[in-house]
Amino acid sequence: MHPDFSLLSITRQNILGLCANYSLEQLNRIPSGFNNNLIWNAAHVVVTQHLLTYGLCGQAIPLSTDFVQAYRKGSRPQGTVDATQWAFIQAELEESLNRLEADWEQLSALSFKPYPSSYGVTLHSLEEAFIFNQTHEAMHFGTMLALRKLV
């Protein structure tokens, strides 16, 4: 099965569109009562998509280890993201979907390591991981909608 990437693409475009309305300073701001910011949420969805797909299929993640560590589940912003880093995150929001779509058939042929998510569902296949990732990204987009009113 080759999934439809259109919904995920729209979510990513919504994330990029939301962020386009704010300065780098605002994107980096952590509002009172929150433990992350707009940039962290944008980068986190990129990292999580890779961990749920490439990672659970036993493949190397096509992102640096430092980037993955900075934005994986349980991480928090560790300082200010500069314009170069932000440009990389923006590019990855688009390019990572293209990469996954191009690699889908190869990944589908690999064994998948079941993963019990903190959401309360265990993922048993690449297809389930892809579907769950859409829910995960929508949740973070919702968080970003709340954050934007406070930056």
Side-chain angles (χ1 to χ4, degrees), residues 52-74:
L52 290 173
T53 55
Y54 292 90
L56 293 176
C57 287
Q59 296 301 292
I61 295 167
L63 296 168
S64 75
T65 302
D66 289 343
F67 187 79
V68 171
Q69 292 305 320
Y71 296 106
R72 72 180 309 132
K73 179 181 170 184

Side-chain angles (χ1 to χ4, degrees), residues 56-57 111-117 121-125 128:
L56 293 176
C57 287
S111 65
F112 184 89
K113 179 183 177 187
Y115 175 72
S117 74
V121 23
T122 298
L123 308 175
H124 298 95
S125 68
E128 288 179 5

Side-chain angles (χ1 to χ4, degrees), residues 18 27 29-30 37 80 85 91 99 101 104 106 109-110 112-113 122 132 149:
L18 182 152
L27 294 171
R29 188 173 299 141
I30 302 173
N37 55 33
T80 302
Q85 294 165 319
R99 185 182 312 119
E101 191 164 16
W104 187 264
Q106 173 197 348
L110 301 171
F112 184 89
K113 179 183 177 187
T122 298
F132 174 75
K149 295 181 179 184

